[in-house]
Amino acid sequence: MKVVLFSRVPRWYSFKNERLARRLTADGHEVAGVVVEVTSTLASLREWKKKLGADVFLTKVKQKIFGKKTAAVSGSEVKLPEVSPKVYFVDSHNSPECVAILNKIEPDLIVLRGCGIIKKQVLDVPKIGVINPHYAKLPDFRGMDVTEWSVLCGADVAVSVHTVNEGVDTGVVLRSETIQPSKIDTVGSLRDKSAALVVDLLAAAVSDFANGKKFPFVESNEPGGSQFFQMHDRLKSLANQRLNKFA
């Protein structure tokens, strides 16, 4: 299975030994490239710190600087191959430049790892389709900051992998799993746990298609559930309070 990853990070960000790329390679797939929509360093650092919280953010920075040779797979630590996928930089994932890169690579599957709404000219390129991880249950919680909104609303914390169409998180759910918060969790640490779980779920979904599963195209974009938007810091504090009270 030839896979291309999409990401939105600063130009200096390194994808050497990126954990999803390592896992996919270990499973026998080809990570043919990473297409990066370039963002500013300051904006990215602010976003990461806001989503993860200061403590988790600093831990992740240390991991990125010093590296990590193992990754959790099915609850155990296993050795994964080192990888260094080719990185392509674009101004927009929906640009003609991006489409040209994809047409040259001819991927079977595109996996989104942090980007905006992908338009039809990109969705039509891969032979199989496009999939995306989502940090909540679908279709109940669509949109932004859905880990935080799930906690604030008293709903299960979950991770889903779904197909991508032109709507906002309106594709077919392929895999989903809940996370049980601990008494010391914050929404930031839950996001970090979700990111680790996402690797397993995405890898499983990719292998499903490699083993012959049909991509479930959906003509209608009827969303169901509710669409959520960026959460204010005060509401995030309330979410953390609720998490500590009921975990």
Side-chain angles (χ1 to χ4, degrees):
M1 181 73 66
K2 184 186 290 188
V3 180
V4 167
L5 308 181
F6 273 19
S7 186
R8 181 189 280 168
V9 292
R11 185 175 287 270
W12 52 261
Y13 188 93
S14 174
F15 287 91
K16 184 177 181 180
N17 291 327
E18 196 273 341
R19 56 184 169 182
L20 177 61
R22 294 175 71 187
R23 175 64 187 276
L24 293 176
T25 301
D27 289 349
H29 309 297
E30 175 190 356
V31 180
V34 181
V35 182
V36 173
E37 184 176 295
V38 180
T39 61
S40 73
T41 295
L42 184 58
S44 293
L45 292 177
R46 283 176 174 171
E47 180 182 0
W48 296 338
K49 183 178 179 181
K50 181 176 182 180
K51 289 184 178 299
L52 295 174
D55 291 343
V56 177
F57 172 72
L58 290 175
T59 298
K60 300 301 291 182
V61 169
K62 291 177 183 177
Q63 289 177 349
K64 193 66 179 176
I65 292 173
F66 296 109
K68 190 175 182 181
K69 298 300 184 182
T70 60
V73 179
S74 301
S76 62
E77 294 290 320
V78 300
K79 185 73 174 179
L80 295 178
E82 294 188 354
V83 297
S84 187
K86 184 173 178 59
V87 179
Y88 303 86
F89 297 102
V90 296
D91 292 330
S92 169
H93 284 126
N94 292 307
S95 65
E97 177 188 13
C98 182
V99 173
I101 291 170
L102 294 173
N103 283 329
K104 183 177 180 180
I105 296 174
E106 297 183 333
D108 296 308
L109 199 67
I110 295 175
V111 178
L112 307 185
R113 293 286 279 156
C115 58
I117 301 299
I118 301 301
K119 297 184 179 179
K120 189 175 187 302
Q121 67 266 24
V122 176
L123 296 175
D124 287 345
V125 174
K127 298 174 184 176
I128 294 176
V130 182
I131 63 174
N132 179 62
H134 185 73
Y135 288 15
K137 279 190 173 181
L138 289 172
D140 298 351
F141 291 86
R142 298 180 296 109
M144 302 174 64
D145 290 352
V146 286
T147 300
E148 292 87 338
W149 287 114
S150 296
V151 171
L152 187 64
C153 295
D156 288 339
V157 177
V159 174
S160 304
V161 171
H162 63 95
T163 64
V164 179
N165 52 31
E166 294 181 86
V168 179
D169 302 325
T170 54
V172 176
V173 176
L174 302 170
R175 296 263 177 167
S176 186
E177 191 169 326
T178 59
I179 296 174
Q180 179 60 48
S182 72
K183 292 183 178 181
I184 62 172
D185 269 322
T186 63
V187 290
S189 65
L190 287 174
R191 276 186 167 273
D192 194 35
K193 289 181 178 180
S194 296
L197 179 56
V198 154
V199 172
D200 283 346
L201 296 185
L202 284 172
V206 172
S207 291
D208 285 343
F209 292 123
N211 292 329
K213 180 176 180 175
K214 299 298 183 182
F215 193 86
F217 289 99
V218 176
E219 297 297 330
S220 173
N221 285 339
E222 292 298 327
S226 299
Q227 182 174 347
F228 291 81
F229 298 89
Q230 190 171 27
M231 178 179 279
H232 191 279
D233 286 343
R234 291 181 181 177
L235 291 178
K236 186 173 181 179
S237 295
L238 290 176
N240 276 320
Q241 291 175 24
R242 182 184 182 98
L243 184 64
N244 293 334
K245 182 177 180 180
F246 294 105

